[in-house]
Amino acid sequence: KFCQVTFPTMANVGLSPMMCYKHPGGQHSLTKYSNTFCGTSDHVIMLSVGTVSLTFTTGFLALCIWAACKAPQFSWQGQAAVKFLFADFRPDVAWFGIVTLSRGLLLSLPSVAV
């Protein structure tokens, strides 16, 4: 459960430095941190940390997709390691754990794309 709860948070934290809005004066600042202007050195540091966070988040999602595809071939210890993906679902729809996991990333994307 911990992985499913923290995944959307990590995706949102990773995407927050990419959400800028335009001031009437022409400058851009971050939506969450309005005192940080886009393009400044503080923003570049935040983008770097956000990119690293998104890299780990996307890597974790890719690892979970791989584990979901290979889980029937795992030993019982391997299946116990990825139990958080399958525990809440019937065996015939065990892949739905990937859908619920990726929901956090997909819910954060529209606010960046706008």
Side-chain angles (χ1 to χ4, degrees):
K1 292 292 179 188
F2 178 77
C3 294
Q4 288 178 333
V5 171
T6 57
F7 186 79
T9 305
M10 291 301 294
N12 199 7
V13 166
L15 289 170
S16 66
M18 299 174 192
M19 296 182 235
C20 294
Y21 70 95
K22 188 174 182 179
H23 290 276
Q27 290 184 320
H28 291 80
S29 66
L30 292 176
T31 305
K32 261 189 178 175
Y33 310 102
S34 58
N35 59 345
T36 304
F37 293 101
C38 297
T40 61
S41 61
D42 289 340
H43 182 239
V44 171
I45 292 170
M46 291 175 76
L47 274 174
S48 301
V49 172
T51 302
V52 169
S53 174
L54 281 177
T55 301
F56 282 121
T57 304
T58 308
F60 178 72
L61 180 62
L63 182 66
C64 288
I65 291 170
W66 174 81
C69 293
K70 297 289 184 176
Q73 301 168 3
F74 287 167
S75 66
W76 64 272
Q77 292 140 336
Q79 289 179 357
V82 291
K83 182 181 174 185
F84 71 94
L85 287 173
F86 313 119
D88 296 336
F89 307 107
R90 296 187 324 253
D92 61 328
V93 290
W95 54 268
F96 200 72
I98 299 300
V99 173
T100 60
L101 193 61
S102 61
R103 175 187 60 186
L105 181 61
L106 294 175
L107 286 175
S108 298
L109 286 177
S111 60
V112 176
V114 173

